[in-house]
Amino acid sequence: MTTALAVLAGGLLGPALLTAVAVVVPAVIGRIFGRLLRTALLLTLPIAVSVLVVNLFFFPAGRDVLFQLGPVTATAEGLEFALETLARIGAISGAITLFYLTTPPSELVLDLERRGVSPRIAFVALASVQTVPALVERAATITAAQRARGLDTEGSLWRRLRGVLPLAGPVLLGSITEVEARTLALEARGFTRPGRRTLLWWPPDSARQRLARWVLVLAVPLLLVARALGWLGWLN
Amino acid sequence: MTDLALEGVSYRYRQGATLALDGIDLHIRAGERVAVVGQNGSGKTTLVRHLNGLLRPTLGRVLHDGRDVARRTVAQLARTVGLAFQDPDRQIFAGSVRREVEFGPRNLGISGGELHRVVDEALAEVGFAGEASTNPYDLGASRRKLLALASVQSMGTPVLILDEPTTGQDMRGVEIVKLLIDRAHAAGRTVIAISHDMEFVAASFDRVVVLRLGRVILDGSPASAFDEGSWEALRSTYLEPPLPAIIGSRLGLGATPTDDELLAAL
Ligand SMILES: Nc1ncnc2c1ncn2[C@@H]1O[C@H](COP(=O)(O)OP(=O)(O)OP(=O)(O)O)[C@@H](O)[C@H]1O
Ligand SMILES: [Mg+2]
């Protein structure tokens, strides 16, 4: 939601305000601001830097010269556009990171099921999130086993790649063969039985959470209309 | 030939609340056959992974022939120490049995006719002579385990470490593992194995190291480790002495940890 709003609000102030209200405040309350900042920065740093450099120096409509650096010129318009884009990127990555850090996949899946999503689709969503760490762990142990048999992975980057690349196939294949075992296990426990499931535990959903969600949902069409009518000039 | 030593080694996993190893002092001379035993989670795997550098001590030192190995890579240490993993599925990756077994010796620089010879030898040892071109995924779990053993055995390293080699093996499989250990021993290699099978430990090893909560609580010959005086310590880490040891003790025959020793005493 915050993401859509950030794009719609436009300007620099809009996304910045949104990030503050919908990302920073909850993160600070939830005491995860440090982790949030670190993860979001790691995710977006490469993009952010390139956006800044490209726009600062190569903005096509740039007239107002800020400074000269060798053959390239930094323009004020470029800087402004870069900052606006960065504000949006910040809001988007902040929102996604906040969601990722606060929502255990298993709760997300239960909630999806409660909202009538088919258990199959919910399971696929859960499995795809959960296989990533499993895959990483698997790759690490397989590599360890090959190092124990003399595979050199500690030298130059090239050497490491040459050693590890042949292992990528088996790592993936191994996970695929595991799928069969998993399917059988699910089948054996009645996963494909028709009918609704009774959940023994519901993820909590407080009135405040529901209110916050509705406010955000309603804000989208409001902002759309406001933007179309040109009421948001003050944000720029 | 290589002497191995751990000096005051403690190890804590990154997410671990307690020490997986807690001040281990252990000296293993070249040519010894050492069994490492202890309940699940007592630190056996963690301990042997220090011997080839896969894990580095949080505290303390690991020495090969008296020299600290801290600066040597796992690939370098693999020339000295071959380690077969507990779970073969985490080790096997090649498309055929031969390619799997070739991988280790090839990394050590063995090639051509010599490579062919060591691979054939290792395959014959685990009863895979006619299966060089089989895909490892077509073998059952217990045979994959034997394949994993062969693929480390073929490296011919002075030290051979086997993490639970007999788990899941039927009598024939256990026999194969025992023979493999005997050969390596006859060739003067050090053999270290982790096991939960006390009969196998008593039959194939000169020395038993018992771990509990990351510490060595017993260390001695099978006769002394399975002697009645040690039973309490063994049971404190959920191990049961082998049956012949119990029978021998009941009958007042002294230390008889294996069937053969019991029969001889009778
Ligand atoms: N990767 C890891 N991260 C965190 N803790 C770990 C990890 N691996 C093992 N441990 C913990 O370290 C301790 C020792 O584990 P280790 O695998 O060495 O035991 P083990 O004696 O080999 O057990 P088993 O008989 O089950 O193979 C255990 O408490 C275990 O939970
Ligand atoms: Mg283990």
Short mmCIF file of all heavy atoms in Angstrom, two decimals, chain A residues 97-148:
data_model
loop_
_atom_site.label_atom_id
_atom_site.label_comp_id
_atom_site.label_asym_id
_atom_site.label_seq_id
_atom_site.Cartn_x
_atom_site.Cartn_y
_atom_site.Cartn_z
N THR A 97 10.61 -4.05 3.04
CA THR A 97 11.45 -4.59 4.11
C THR A 97 10.67 -4.72 5.41
O THR A 97 10.78 -5.71 6.12
CB THR A 97 12.68 -3.71 4.33
OG1 THR A 97 13.24 -3.38 3.07
CG2 THR A 97 13.71 -4.41 5.18
N LEU A 98 9.86 -3.69 5.70
CA LEU A 98 9.07 -3.73 6.92
C LEU A 98 8.15 -4.95 6.91
O LEU A 98 8.04 -5.68 7.89
CB LEU A 98 8.24 -2.45 7.05
CG LEU A 98 7.41 -2.34 8.33
CD1 LEU A 98 8.33 -2.19 9.53
CD2 LEU A 98 6.44 -1.17 8.26
N PHE A 99 7.52 -5.16 5.76
CA PHE A 99 6.62 -6.31 5.63
C PHE A 99 7.38 -7.61 5.86
O PHE A 99 6.97 -8.48 6.62
CB PHE A 99 6.00 -6.30 4.24
CG PHE A 99 5.11 -7.48 3.97
CD1 PHE A 99 3.87 -7.56 4.57
CD2 PHE A 99 5.52 -8.50 3.14
CE1 PHE A 99 3.05 -8.65 4.33
CE2 PHE A 99 4.71 -9.59 2.90
CZ PHE A 99 3.47 -9.66 3.49
N TYR A 100 8.55 -7.70 5.22
CA TYR A 100 9.35 -8.92 5.31
C TYR A 100 9.80 -9.18 6.75
O TYR A 100 9.77 -10.31 7.23
CB TYR A 100 10.54 -8.80 4.36
CG TYR A 100 11.61 -9.82 4.59
CD1 TYR A 100 11.45 -11.13 4.16
CD2 TYR A 100 12.79 -9.47 5.22
CE1 TYR A 100 12.42 -12.08 4.38
CE2 TYR A 100 13.77 -10.40 5.44
CZ TYR A 100 13.59 -11.71 5.02
OH TYR A 100 14.56 -12.62 5.25
N LEU A 101 10.20 -8.10 7.44
CA LEU A 101 10.73 -8.28 8.79
C LEU A 101 9.65 -8.56 9.82
O LEU A 101 9.92 -9.15 10.86
CB LEU A 101 11.51 -7.04 9.23
CG LEU A 101 12.87 -6.81 8.58
CD1 LEU A 101 13.51 -5.54 9.10
CD2 LEU A 101 13.80 -7.99 8.84
N THR A 102 8.41 -8.12 9.54
CA THR A 102 7.39 -8.25 10.58
C THR A 102 6.44 -9.40 10.32
O THR A 102 5.64 -9.73 11.19
CB THR A 102 6.55 -6.97 10.69
OG1 THR A 102 6.08 -6.64 9.38
CG2 THR A 102 7.35 -5.83 11.27
N THR A 103 6.48 -10.01 9.13
CA THR A 103 5.49 -11.03 8.81
C THR A 103 6.14 -12.38 8.60
O THR A 103 6.76 -12.61 7.58
CB THR A 103 4.73 -10.65 7.52
OG1 THR A 103 4.38 -9.28 7.61
CG2 THR A 103 3.51 -11.49 7.36
N PRO A 104 6.03 -13.29 9.61
CA PRO A 104 6.54 -14.64 9.40
C PRO A 104 5.74 -15.27 8.26
O PRO A 104 4.52 -15.17 8.25
CB PRO A 104 6.26 -15.35 10.71
CG PRO A 104 5.87 -14.30 11.68
CD PRO A 104 5.39 -13.11 10.91
N PRO A 105 6.43 -15.95 7.32
CA PRO A 105 5.73 -16.53 6.17
C PRO A 105 4.56 -17.42 6.59
O PRO A 105 3.52 -17.40 5.96
CB PRO A 105 6.81 -17.36 5.48
CG PRO A 105 8.09 -16.81 5.95
CD PRO A 105 7.86 -16.15 7.26
N SER A 106 4.74 -18.16 7.70
CA SER A 106 3.67 -19.08 8.09
C SER A 106 2.40 -18.31 8.45
O SER A 106 1.29 -18.73 8.15
CB SER A 106 4.13 -19.94 9.26
OG SER A 106 4.58 -19.13 10.29
N GLU A 107 2.56 -17.14 9.09
CA GLU A 107 1.37 -16.35 9.44
C GLU A 107 0.71 -15.78 8.19
O GLU A 107 -0.52 -15.73 8.08
CB GLU A 107 1.74 -15.20 10.38
CG GLU A 107 1.90 -15.68 11.80
CD GLU A 107 2.08 -14.52 12.77
OE1 GLU A 107 1.58 -13.42 12.49
OE2 GLU A 107 2.75 -14.73 13.79
N LEU A 108 1.57 -15.36 7.26
CA LEU A 108 1.03 -14.82 6.01
C LEU A 108 0.16 -15.86 5.33
O LEU A 108 -0.94 -15.57 4.86
CB LEU A 108 2.20 -14.42 5.10
CG LEU A 108 1.80 -13.98 3.70
CD1 LEU A 108 1.01 -12.68 3.77
CD2 LEU A 108 3.01 -13.82 2.81
N VAL A 109 0.66 -17.10 5.34
CA VAL A 109 -0.07 -18.16 4.64
C VAL A 109 -1.39 -18.46 5.34
O VAL A 109 -2.43 -18.61 4.70
CB VAL A 109 0.82 -19.41 4.55
CG1 VAL A 109 0.00 -20.61 4.15
CG2 VAL A 109 1.93 -19.17 3.55
N LEU A 110 -1.36 -18.50 6.68
CA LEU A 110 -2.61 -18.74 7.41
C LEU A 110 -3.62 -17.66 7.09
O LEU A 110 -4.80 -17.92 6.88
CB LEU A 110 -2.34 -18.75 8.92
CG LEU A 110 -1.74 -20.03 9.48
CD1 LEU A 110 -1.57 -19.90 10.97
CD2 LEU A 110 -2.67 -21.20 9.17
N ASP A 111 -3.12 -16.42 7.02
CA ASP A 111 -4.01 -15.32 6.77
C ASP A 111 -4.60 -15.40 5.35
O ASP A 111 -5.76 -15.12 5.14
CB ASP A 111 -3.27 -13.99 6.97
CG ASP A 111 -4.24 -12.90 7.34
OD1 ASP A 111 -4.98 -13.10 8.32
OD2 ASP A 111 -4.28 -11.88 6.63
N LEU A 112 -3.76 -15.81 4.41
CA LEU A 112 -4.24 -15.98 3.05
C LEU A 112 -5.35 -17.03 3.02
O LEU A 112 -6.38 -16.85 2.38
CB LEU A 112 -3.10 -16.42 2.12
CG LEU A 112 -2.11 -15.33 1.71
CD1 LEU A 112 -0.99 -15.93 0.88
CD2 LEU A 112 -2.81 -14.23 0.95
N GLU A 113 -5.12 -18.13 3.76
CA GLU A 113 -6.11 -19.20 3.79
C GLU A 113 -7.41 -18.69 4.39
O GLU A 113 -8.48 -18.98 3.91
CB GLU A 113 -5.60 -20.37 4.61
CG GLU A 113 -4.76 -21.32 3.79
CD GLU A 113 -4.68 -22.68 4.45
OE1 GLU A 113 -5.73 -23.34 4.61
OE2 GLU A 113 -3.57 -23.06 4.81
N ARG A 114 -7.27 -17.91 5.46
CA ARG A 114 -8.47 -17.39 6.11
C ARG A 114 -9.28 -16.53 5.14
O ARG A 114 -10.49 -16.51 5.19
CB ARG A 114 -8.05 -16.56 7.32
CG ARG A 114 -9.22 -15.86 7.95
CD ARG A 114 -8.90 -15.34 9.30
NE ARG A 114 -7.82 -14.36 9.25
CZ ARG A 114 -7.34 -13.76 10.32
NH1 ARG A 114 -7.81 -14.06 11.50
NH2 ARG A 114 -6.38 -12.88 10.21
N ARG A 115 -8.55 -15.82 4.27
CA ARG A 115 -9.25 -14.98 3.30
C ARG A 115 -9.71 -15.76 2.08
O ARG A 115 -10.05 -15.16 1.07
CB ARG A 115 -8.33 -13.84 2.87
CG ARG A 115 -8.23 -12.77 3.91
CD ARG A 115 -7.02 -11.92 3.70
NE ARG A 115 -6.56 -11.43 4.99
CZ ARG A 115 -7.13 -10.42 5.60
NH1 ARG A 115 -8.13 -9.78 5.06
NH2 ARG A 115 -6.67 -10.04 6.78
N GLY A 116 -9.67 -17.10 2.19
CA GLY A 116 -10.29 -17.90 1.13
C GLY A 116 -9.35 -18.29 0.00
O GLY A 116 -9.80 -18.85 -0.99
N VAL A 117 -8.05 -17.97 0.13
CA VAL A 117 -7.12 -18.43 -0.90
C VAL A 117 -6.98 -19.94 -0.77
O VAL A 117 -6.95 -20.47 0.35
CB VAL A 117 -5.75 -17.75 -0.71
CG1 VAL A 117 -4.73 -18.34 -1.67
CG2 VAL A 117 -5.88 -16.26 -0.92
N SER A 118 -6.90 -20.65 -1.89
CA SER A 118 -6.83 -22.11 -1.81
C SER A 118 -5.54 -22.54 -1.11
O SER A 118 -4.49 -21.92 -1.30
CB SER A 118 -6.89 -22.70 -3.21
OG SER A 118 -5.71 -23.42 -3.50
N PRO A 119 -5.63 -23.58 -0.27
CA PRO A 119 -4.43 -24.02 0.47
C PRO A 119 -3.27 -24.34 -0.46
O PRO A 119 -2.12 -24.17 -0.10
CB PRO A 119 -4.90 -25.28 1.20
CG PRO A 119 -6.38 -25.28 1.14
CD PRO A 119 -6.81 -24.37 0.04
N ARG A 120 -3.57 -24.80 -1.67
CA ARG A 120 -2.50 -25.11 -2.60
C ARG A 120 -1.68 -23.87 -2.93
O ARG A 120 -0.45 -23.89 -2.90
CB ARG A 120 -3.06 -25.64 -3.91
CG ARG A 120 -3.46 -27.09 -3.85
CD ARG A 120 -4.28 -27.39 -5.08
NE ARG A 120 -4.84 -28.70 -4.94
CZ ARG A 120 -4.37 -29.77 -5.59
NH1 ARG A 120 -3.38 -29.66 -6.43
NH2 ARG A 120 -4.91 -30.95 -5.39
N ILE A 121 -2.41 -22.82 -3.27
CA ILE A 121 -1.69 -21.59 -3.65
C ILE A 121 -0.95 -21.05 -2.45
O ILE A 121 0.21 -20.63 -2.54
CB ILE A 121 -2.69 -20.57 -4.22
CG1 ILE A 121 -3.24 -21.12 -5.52
CG2 ILE A 121 -2.03 -19.22 -4.41
CD1 ILE A 121 -4.29 -20.26 -6.17
N ALA A 122 -1.61 -21.11 -1.28
CA ALA A 122 -0.95 -20.63 -0.06
C ALA A 122 0.33 -21.43 0.19
O ALA A 122 1.36 -20.86 0.53
CB ALA A 122 -1.90 -20.77 1.12
N PHE A 123 0.26 -22.73 -0.04
CA PHE A 123 1.45 -23.56 0.19
C PHE A 123 2.57 -23.19 -0.77
O PHE A 123 3.73 -23.11 -0.37
CB PHE A 123 1.10 -25.05 0.06
CG PHE A 123 2.30 -25.94 0.18
CD1 PHE A 123 2.89 -26.14 1.42
CD2 PHE A 123 2.87 -26.53 -0.94
CE1 PHE A 123 4.02 -26.93 1.54
CE2 PHE A 123 4.00 -27.32 -0.83
CZ PHE A 123 4.57 -27.52 0.42
N VAL A 124 2.20 -22.97 -2.03
CA VAL A 124 3.23 -22.60 -3.01
C VAL A 124 3.91 -21.30 -2.58
O VAL A 124 5.13 -21.17 -2.62
CB VAL A 124 2.61 -22.47 -4.42
CG1 VAL A 124 3.61 -21.83 -5.36
CG2 VAL A 124 2.20 -23.83 -4.93
N ALA A 125 3.08 -20.35 -2.10
CA ALA A 125 3.65 -19.08 -1.65
C ALA A 125 4.62 -19.32 -0.51
O ALA A 125 5.75 -18.83 -0.50
CB ALA A 125 2.54 -18.13 -1.21
N LEU A 126 4.20 -20.14 0.45
CA LEU A 126 5.04 -20.41 1.62
C LEU A 126 6.32 -21.13 1.20
O LEU A 126 7.42 -20.76 1.60
CB LEU A 126 4.26 -21.28 2.61
CG LEU A 126 5.05 -21.72 3.85
CD1 LEU A 126 5.32 -20.52 4.73
CD2 LEU A 126 4.29 -22.77 4.63
N ALA A 127 6.14 -22.17 0.35
CA ALA A 127 7.29 -22.97 -0.03
C ALA A 127 8.32 -22.12 -0.76
O ALA A 127 9.52 -22.26 -0.56
CB ALA A 127 6.85 -24.14 -0.91
N SER A 128 7.83 -21.21 -1.62
CA SER A 128 8.81 -20.44 -2.39
C SER A 128 9.60 -19.50 -1.49
O SER A 128 10.77 -19.25 -1.73
CB SER A 128 8.13 -19.69 -3.52
OG SER A 128 7.06 -18.96 -3.02
N VAL A 129 8.95 -19.00 -0.44
CA VAL A 129 9.70 -18.15 0.49
C VAL A 129 10.68 -18.99 1.31
O VAL A 129 11.82 -18.59 1.54
CB VAL A 129 8.74 -17.41 1.44
CG1 VAL A 129 9.53 -16.54 2.41
CG2 VAL A 129 7.78 -16.56 0.65
N GLN A 130 10.21 -20.18 1.72
CA GLN A 130 11.04 -20.96 2.63
C GLN A 130 12.17 -21.72 1.96
O GLN A 130 13.12 -22.09 2.61
CB GLN A 130 10.15 -21.94 3.41
CG GLN A 130 9.31 -21.21 4.43
CD GLN A 130 8.54 -22.14 5.30
OE1 GLN A 130 8.24 -23.27 4.89
NE2 GLN A 130 8.19 -21.71 6.48
N THR A 131 12.04 -21.98 0.65
CA THR A 131 13.11 -22.76 0.01
C THR A 131 14.39 -21.96 -0.10
O THR A 131 15.46 -22.54 -0.19
CB THR A 131 12.75 -23.25 -1.41
OG1 THR A 131 11.80 -22.36 -1.93
CG2 THR A 131 12.27 -24.65 -1.39
N VAL A 132 14.30 -20.63 -0.11
CA VAL A 132 15.52 -19.86 -0.31
C VAL A 132 16.55 -20.13 0.78
O VAL A 132 17.67 -20.55 0.48
CB VAL A 132 15.21 -18.37 -0.46
CG1 VAL A 132 16.49 -17.57 -0.53
CG2 VAL A 132 14.37 -18.14 -1.71
N PRO A 133 16.19 -19.97 2.07
CA PRO A 133 17.19 -20.30 3.10
C PRO A 133 17.62 -21.77 3.05
O PRO A 133 18.80 -22.08 3.22
CB PRO A 133 16.48 -20.00 4.42
CG PRO A 133 15.21 -19.36 4.09
CD PRO A 133 14.96 -19.42 2.63
N ALA A 134 16.67 -22.66 2.74
CA ALA A 134 17.01 -24.08 2.68
C ALA A 134 18.04 -24.33 1.57
O ALA A 134 18.97 -25.10 1.74
CB ALA A 134 15.76 -24.92 2.44
N LEU A 135 17.84 -23.63 0.46
CA LEU A 135 18.74 -23.77 -0.68
C LEU A 135 20.13 -23.25 -0.32
O LEU A 135 21.14 -23.88 -0.64
CB LEU A 135 18.18 -22.96 -1.86
CG LEU A 135 18.43 -23.50 -3.25
CD1 LEU A 135 17.78 -24.85 -3.41
CD2 LEU A 135 17.90 -22.52 -4.28
N VAL A 136 20.16 -22.12 0.35
CA VAL A 136 21.45 -21.54 0.75
C VAL A 136 22.18 -22.50 1.67
O VAL A 136 23.37 -22.79 1.50
CB VAL A 136 21.23 -20.18 1.45
CG1 VAL A 136 22.52 -19.70 2.08
CG2 VAL A 136 20.71 -19.16 0.44
N GLU A 137 21.43 -23.06 2.64
CA GLU A 137 22.02 -23.97 3.60
C GLU A 137 22.55 -25.22 2.89
O GLU A 137 23.67 -25.68 3.14
CB GLU A 137 20.95 -24.35 4.63
CG GLU A 137 21.50 -24.82 5.95
CD GLU A 137 21.50 -26.33 6.05
OE1 GLU A 137 20.80 -27.00 5.24
OE2 GLU A 137 22.20 -26.85 6.92
N ARG A 138 21.76 -25.72 1.97
CA ARG A 138 22.13 -26.91 1.21
C ARG A 138 23.40 -26.65 0.40
O ARG A 138 24.32 -27.47 0.39
CB ARG A 138 20.97 -27.25 0.28
CG ARG A 138 21.08 -28.58 -0.32
CD ARG A 138 19.98 -28.82 -1.34
NE ARG A 138 20.11 -30.19 -1.76
CZ ARG A 138 19.50 -31.19 -1.15
NH1 ARG A 138 18.72 -30.94 -0.14
NH2 ARG A 138 19.70 -32.41 -1.56
N ALA A 139 23.42 -25.51 -0.28
CA ALA A 139 24.59 -25.16 -1.08
C ALA A 139 25.83 -25.10 -0.18
O ALA A 139 26.90 -25.58 -0.55
CB ALA A 139 24.37 -23.83 -1.78
N ALA A 140 25.67 -24.54 1.02
CA ALA A 140 26.82 -24.40 1.92
C ALA A 140 27.35 -25.77 2.34
O ALA A 140 28.56 -25.99 2.32
CB ALA A 140 26.44 -23.57 3.14
N THR A 141 26.45 -26.71 2.70
CA THR A 141 26.97 -28.01 3.13
C THR A 141 27.57 -28.79 1.97
O THR A 141 28.58 -29.46 2.14
CB THR A 141 25.91 -28.92 3.78
OG1 THR A 141 24.67 -28.65 3.19
CG2 THR A 141 25.83 -28.71 5.27
N ILE A 142 26.94 -28.71 0.79
CA ILE A 142 27.51 -29.44 -0.34
C ILE A 142 28.89 -28.89 -0.67
O ILE A 142 29.84 -29.65 -0.91
CB ILE A 142 26.56 -29.38 -1.57
CG1 ILE A 142 25.31 -30.21 -1.26
CG2 ILE A 142 27.26 -29.92 -2.80
CD1 ILE A 142 24.48 -30.56 -2.45
N THR A 143 29.03 -27.58 -0.64
CA THR A 143 30.35 -27.00 -0.89
C THR A 143 31.34 -27.45 0.17
O THR A 143 32.49 -27.78 -0.14
CB THR A 143 30.28 -25.46 -0.88
OG1 THR A 143 29.07 -25.08 -1.51
CG2 THR A 143 31.44 -24.86 -1.63
N ALA A 144 30.90 -27.48 1.43
CA ALA A 144 31.79 -27.92 2.50
C ALA A 144 32.28 -29.34 2.25
O ALA A 144 33.46 -29.65 2.40
CB ALA A 144 31.09 -27.83 3.85
N ALA A 145 31.35 -30.21 1.81
CA ALA A 145 31.73 -31.60 1.57
C ALA A 145 32.77 -31.69 0.45
O ALA A 145 33.68 -32.52 0.50
CB ALA A 145 30.50 -32.43 1.20
N GLN A 146 32.66 -30.83 -0.56
CA GLN A 146 33.63 -30.88 -1.66
C GLN A 146 34.97 -30.27 -1.25
O GLN A 146 36.02 -30.71 -1.69
CB GLN A 146 33.10 -30.19 -2.92
CG GLN A 146 31.71 -30.61 -3.36
CD GLN A 146 31.41 -32.08 -3.17
OE1 GLN A 146 32.28 -32.93 -3.34
NE2 GLN A 146 30.18 -32.38 -2.78
N ARG A 147 34.91 -29.26 -0.39
CA ARG A 147 36.18 -28.71 0.12
C ARG A 147 36.91 -29.79 0.89
O ARG A 147 38.14 -29.91 0.81
CB ARG A 147 35.92 -27.51 1.01
CG ARG A 147 35.57 -26.26 0.22
CD ARG A 147 34.85 -25.28 1.09
NE ARG A 147 35.72 -24.67 2.08
CZ ARG A 147 35.29 -24.22 3.26
NH1 ARG A 147 34.03 -24.34 3.59
NH2 ARG A 147 36.13 -23.67 4.10
N ALA A 148 36.15 -30.59 1.64
CA ALA A 148 36.77 -31.66 2.41
C ALA A 148 37.40 -32.68 1.48
O ALA A 148 38.25 -33.46 1.89
CB ALA A 148 35.73 -32.34 3.30
#
